[in-house]
Amino acid sequence: QVQLVESGGGSVQPGGSLRLSCAASGSIFSINIMGWYRQAPGKQRELVAIIASGGATTYADSVKGRFTIARDNAKKGTVYLQMNSLQPEDTAVYYCLTQIRTPAFVNYWGQGTQVAVPS
């Protein structure tokens, strides 16, 4: 079993910055990917950014150049999302994803953290 603890959400004015953290614990021997998705009210959950075990990153077009995902190489199973130039359209609940190879791929989700950027 895998447990995820997220932190760092909050409310910030347009143009501001926040950093989200996600720490995975438990059976995290074979992490395939870690990353962030978000869900705004009335919308489907969407990919924000992910980082693969080899270090490759993928970003949604809407956040490229503004958000950066990174792993903490000193703390296995910890990933950060640095969010700069936040805009009202970034308002959503942000969920951490950890995908484990068991050898099947199993996804674990965090409880979500709210990010609010008032217009």
Side-chain angles (χ1 to χ4, degrees), residues 8 11-19 66 81-86:
S11 181
V12 64
Q13 292 299 309
S17 298
L18 286 172
R19 189 177 83 151
R66 300 188 298 124
L81 184 68
Q82 178 66 42
M83 304 185 293
N84 298 328
S85 301
L86 283 161

Side-chain angles (χ1 to χ4, degrees), residues 64-115:
K64 283 180 181 176
R66 300 188 298 124
F67 292 11
T68 302
I69 189 169
R71 292 180 303 203
D72 188 331
N73 292 323
K75 300 178 183 178
K76 183 179 175 65
T78 299
V79 66
Y80 305 104
L81 184 68
Q82 178 66 42
M83 304 185 293
N84 298 328
S85 301
L86 283 161
Q87 300 301 318
E89 53 265 33
D90 296 315
T91 295
V93 177
Y94 285 68
Y95 296 92
C96 178
L97 164 71
T98 296
Q99 186 180 83
I100 305 294
R101 286 193 303 272
T102 63
F105 292 115
V106 179
N107 291 335
Y108 294 90
W109 294 93
Q111 78 282 2
T113 184
Q114 177 72 52
V115 171

